[in-house]
Amino acid sequence: EGWSRLEFVPGWHGFLGVKEGRAYYFALRVERAGTAAFDEMVQKLAPYGMEDIIKLDGGSSFVCDIAGQKIGGGGEKQKVHNLLLF
């Protein structure tokens, strides 16, 4: 389907990738916005050789909790659009 590139804002973004029948989750931070951020994401994800990638949430609504250590989140109260539990 592709992305319009306008949804890329500076900050954290979540991605779900598939490679050889296995799912991988990526939490990536970008410094730029729009097309520049899209290009930055492509460069960061390309080395992993994913067959398919789905962009989940990003920007101020992104929060990732790994064993109690939280990354992301802009402090704004926003609805949760994606939730993955491992």
Side-chain angles (χ1 to χ4, degrees):
E1 294 291 325
W3 297 311
S4 70
R5 300 180 183 197
L6 297 176
E7 63 273 359
F8 286 98
V9 296
W12 288 94
H13 296 266
F15 296 85
L16 189 60
V18 176
K19 181 179 178 180
E20 298 175 357
R22 296 188 66 155
Y24 297 85
Y25 181 76
F26 296 90
L28 301 174
R29 183 172 175 75
V30 293
E31 303 300 326
R32 298 175 276 177
T35 299
F38 177 84
D39 294 341
E40 186 178 342
M41 288 290 180
V42 170
Q43 290 173 356
K44 289 182 175 183
L45 291 168
Y48 298 100
M50 294 291 118
E51 297 161 2
D52 290 299
I53 295 179
I54 298 171
K55 182 184 181 303
L56 302 174
D57 219 346
S60 63
S61 61
F62 173 89
V63 177
C64 183
D65 185 322
I66 302 170
Q69 181 182 356
K70 291 184 182 179
I71 59 171
E76 299 176 24
K77 292 183 179 180
Q78 295 195 18
K79 294 179 182 179
V80 174
H81 296 283
N82 314 111
L83 176 64
L84 297 173
L85 299 174
F86 298 94

